[in-house]
Amino acid sequence: MSTGWETIIGLEIHAQLSTETKIFCGCSARFGDQPNENTCPVCLGLPGALPVLNRRALVLGARAALALGLHINPQSIFARKNYFYPDLPKGYQISQYDQPFSANGELEIMTAERDEAGHPIEWRPKKIKITRLHLEEDAGKNVHEGLPDVDRYSYIDLNRAGVPLAEIVTEPDFRSSWEAYDYVNQVRRSLQWVGASEADMEKGNLRCEANVSVRRIGDEKFGTKVELKNLNSVRFMQRAIEFEVARHISVLESGGRLVQETRLWDDRKNETRTMRLKEEANDYRYFPEPDLPPVIVSPEFIAEVRSTMPELPEDRRKRFIGQYGLTFADASQLTSERSLADYYENAAEESGNPRATANWIRSELLRELETADLSAAASKVSARDLGALVRLIDEEKISGKQGKDVLVEMFKTGKSAQFIIEEQGLVQVSDVSEIDQLIDDVMNANPQQLANYRAGKETLFGFFVGQVIKASKGKANPKVVNERLRAKLQV
Ligand SMILES: [Zn+2]
């Protein structure tokens, strides 16, 4: 990329709050039902129908706001955002405007640029200012595919109309596509963590838009900004931003001019294209929704919501590092999901060895879970059983190598480590005379290597360890093998 340019990115996230019913009526908010099955006069926008705020949406909105470090306003107001679109039967969306539900947040994210292979280079903290989180209803959906005569008709499914959303808007604080990427992932995790939203981009219950511009380093004025939509995954968003930044710089460096517009990401072509030129700002003619009273939030309400929230992911990551001596990478991965963090703490308590437990989960269990496409909560190996396995290895009842096979068996059968060890007659051989015998056999079978080792080729030590372990069928205690080999090879 050309140097001398600075990238400016702001993000908007729409997250569907995990309520059973819609925000202003009692219709189900379920995804995937028959088209228009979940509708009523309120969400169809029939004249005379009156909205009533769903209290659960308020509670989940508060959880989301607190999880992202926002201040909840004592009073907020619903407003009508007027525009015409076929999926919006009322002709306006009930949203919030100048008095949002919550504002002035600051979220510390961990972020890193990536190398060519996509690996993080160096993690560092960065504070992102969140301008606001407000509540609003979703619109319906126009369907242009998979139905008869779609060349002549558009279809409208209003099941989604009135589903509660939290819109989360940041300041233009991001300076690279990877910062934006890391932020969205952290917001997703936080919302899932506190149960505010499923935040699943594939299901469409988390959508994001990016405002992107560039300016010469040192300039104060922002460049012309482009809004990116249709970003169906966090990875697509990152690639779309990267594409736009390169396009802006190349247009500007060749003396061209950018226009303010909305562009879509086309994943097949790996490029963005114009969706529409920006209409005039402020043409929504917002005004307060006369059918809904102001939302009054008391300090008691906030305290009550807070008291039911779990320890937040960032706090928990820091605690894992401090309390258990984990590395940043270990602690980050183990707090990537709440169920995994719970699993880890239970397993570590059982094993009495938090660091070894972290290693076993990261290197062995997660691979099995990934292959089986399961979450830690759904694992056949309970946290207690995994902890017990780590303890048996620590106590040298079985070797680490045997432990790996035992874990695979535990994962297949759901049996405990102790049970499998007894069933298969697994024991770690630590008996010195037995191991000495194995070493003698190996030395006799490899006279050339032995001569070379004694002549100074010390790298052959590993070869002898491997041969002895192999001869024991993996049962020999590696520590004893090492000690005895050192002694016997010297002779
Ligand atoms: Zn309804």
Side-chain angles (χ1 to χ4, degrees):
M1 196 169 61
S2 300
T3 49
W5 294 92
E6 184 179 37
T7 303
I8 312 282
I9 305 159
L11 293 177
E12 275 177 41
I13 291 177
H14 285 90
Q16 181 182 334
L17 298 170
S18 302
T19 54
E20 297 281 317
T21 56
K22 295 184 179 181
I23 185 168
F24 299 124
C25 63
C27 293
S28 168
R30 212 168 27 236
F31 176 81
D33 282 351
Q34 287 299 311
N36 297 305
E37 193 178 330
N38 305 323
T39 55
C40 74
V42 173
C43 54
L44 289 173
L46 301 186
L50 289 174
V52 177
L53 178 61
N54 177 348
R55 188 185 146 88
R56 186 71 189 152
L58 204 64
V59 170
L60 295 183
R63 283 181 165 232
L66 294 173
L68 299 174
L70 285 127
H71 297 282
I72 296 176
N73 288 323
Q75 172 173 308
S76 62
I77 297 216
F78 282 106
R80 291 187 181 179
K81 181 180 182 180
N82 296 281
Y83 66 97
F84 174 77
Y85 204 67
D87 65 12
L88 192 69
K90 294 196 295 291
Y92 60 84
Q93 178 193 23
I94 303 179
S95 180
Q96 295 189 306
Y97 186 52
D98 51 1
Q99 290 190 60
F101 179 67
S102 62
N104 296 327
E106 191 175 68
L107 185 68
E108 185 177 285
I109 63 165
M110 293 305 299
T111 184
E113 295 306 300
R114 310 301 202 268
D115 64 18
E116 305 254 305
H119 299 304
I121 295 167
E122 191 189 349
W123 291 102
R124 63 191 159 83
K126 170 156 179 150
K127 290 200 163 88
I128 302 297
K129 286 200 193 69
I130 303 182
T131 319
R132 57 194 278 148
L133 177 154
H134 71 241
L135 306 175
E136 63 182 28
E137 59 177 346
D138 206 347
K141 209 168 162 179
N142 290 352
V143 185
H144 305 289
E145 278 166 8
L147 287 162
D149 300 318
V150 281
D151 51 336
R152 287 190 293 141
Y153 300 115
S154 281
Y155 294 79
I156 299 170
D157 178 3
L158 293 170
N159 279 352
R160 209 180 64 183
V163 160
L165 299 178
E167 179 176 323
I168 305 155
V169 184
T170 72
E171 294 294 300
D173 280 354
F174 306 96
R175 292 294 170 271
S176 79
S177 61
W178 289 113
E179 287 182 3
Y181 178 90
D182 292 325
Y183 165 81
V184 175
N185 278 331
Q186 185 157 328
V187 169
R188 284 180 55 204
R189 181 186 60 177
S190 295
L191 296 178
Q192 289 165 350
W193 193 279
V194 298
S197 172
E198 282 181 57
D200 184 341
M201 290 184 88
E202 270 174 36
K203 278 198 205 160
N205 54 30
L206 187 124
R207 310 194 283 270
C208 63
E209 293 165 28
N211 290 306
V212 180
S213 65
V214 301
R215 66 181 173 193
R216 292 264 182 206
I217 288 174
D219 278 2
E220 293 213 350
K221 205 166 152 270
F222 289 125
T224 302
K225 94 182 159 188
V226 159
E227 193 181 332
L228 295 175
K229 284 188 190 266
N230 198 28
L231 310 170
N232 295 326
S233 76
V234 195
R235 188 74 179 107
F236 289 173
M237 178 196 75
Q238 187 272 328
R239 279 156 59 189
I241 292 172
E242 210 55 27
F243 178 89
E244 266 314 287
V245 169
R247 189 181 70 85
H248 284 216
I249 292 172
S250 115
V251 167
L252 295 171
E253 287 194 338
S254 63
R257 218 172 59 86
L258 293 159
V259 285
Q260 192 169 334
E261 59 180 335
T262 301
R263 294 175 74 93
L264 298 177
W265 173 247
D266 184 331
D267 187 55
R268 274 181 309 121
K269 293 188 180 155
N270 248 322
E271 62 182 33
T272 64
R273 59 184 155 81
T274 300
M275 176 189 168
R276 59 163 183 258
L277 298 181
K278 188 75 186 172
E279 61 265 65
E280 284 299 301
N282 301 326
D283 61 354
Y284 291 122
R285 296 179 295 114
Y286 281 97
F287 64 86
E289 165 61 62
D291 292 337
L292 285 166
V295 180
I296 308 293
V297 174
S298 66
E300 292 74 28
F301 173 83
I302 296 173
E304 188 195 313
V305 171
R306 216 187 270 281
S307 72
T308 62
M309 292 200 1
E311 184 184 18
L312 293 174
E314 285 311 289
D315 298 337
R316 205 160 181 190
R317 177 173 60 71
K318 286 178 186 158
R319 183 167 63 75
F320 278 13
I321 293 172
Q323 183 176 345
Y324 300 127
L326 300 188
T327 63
F328 175 77
D330 280 349
S332 298
Q333 186 167 15
L334 293 173
T335 53
S336 61
E337 272 177 60
R338 198 170 134 200
S339 66
L340 182 59
D342 291 343
Y343 186 98
Y344 166 68
E345 287 211 272
N346 288 330
E349 194 189 335
E350 179 70 30
S351 75
N353 186 341
R355 281 165 75 167
T357 305
N359 281 337
W360 275 85
I361 290 178
R362 283 194 77 197
S363 60
E364 303 299 325
L365 183 75
L366 286 179
R367 190 187 52 225
E368 297 294 328
L369 288 173
E370 204 167 297
T371 313
D373 195 20
L374 288 173
S375 72
S379 169
K380 256 195 182 169
V381 181
S382 72
R384 292 276 157 197
D385 280 350
L386 183 87
L389 171 67
V390 174
R391 186 161 37 75
L392 288 165
I393 297 162
D394 267 0
E395 290 168 354
E396 302 190 353
K397 295 268 169 43
I398 54 169
S399 70
K401 183 165 180 325
Q402 289 172 323
K404 289 182 187 181
D405 298 335
V406 169
L407 181 62
V408 171
E409 191 63 19
M410 289 165 75
F411 200 82
K412 256 192 249 158
T413 61
K415 293 173 185 164
S416 74
Q418 189 63 47
F419 189 92
I420 292 167
I421 289 167
E422 282 167 20
E423 189 183 50
Q424 302 192 351
L426 295 176
V427 269
Q428 177 162 259
V429 176
S430 302
D431 180 73
V432 173
S433 63
E434 238 177 284
I435 286 175
D436 276 357
Q437 185 58 53
L438 289 169
I439 291 174
D440 289 344
D441 293 347
V442 166
M443 279 163 54
N444 288 335
N446 299 282
Q448 190 58 51
Q449 280 85 347
L450 184 60
N452 291 347
Y453 179 84
R454 287 184 172 157
K457 197 168 178 212
E458 288 185 10
T459 50
L460 279 170
F461 189 77
F463 164 80
F464 284 104
V465 175
Q467 290 298 309
V468 174
I469 301 272
K470 196 171 150 198
S472 76
K473 300 191 174 65
K475 290 184 182 179
N477 180 337
K479 216 168 81 189
V480 179
V481 171
N482 268 276
E483 281 167 16
R484 294 306 300 152
L485 263 175
R486 288 213 184 277
K488 290 175 80 78
L489 286 173
Q490 295 308 330
V491 180

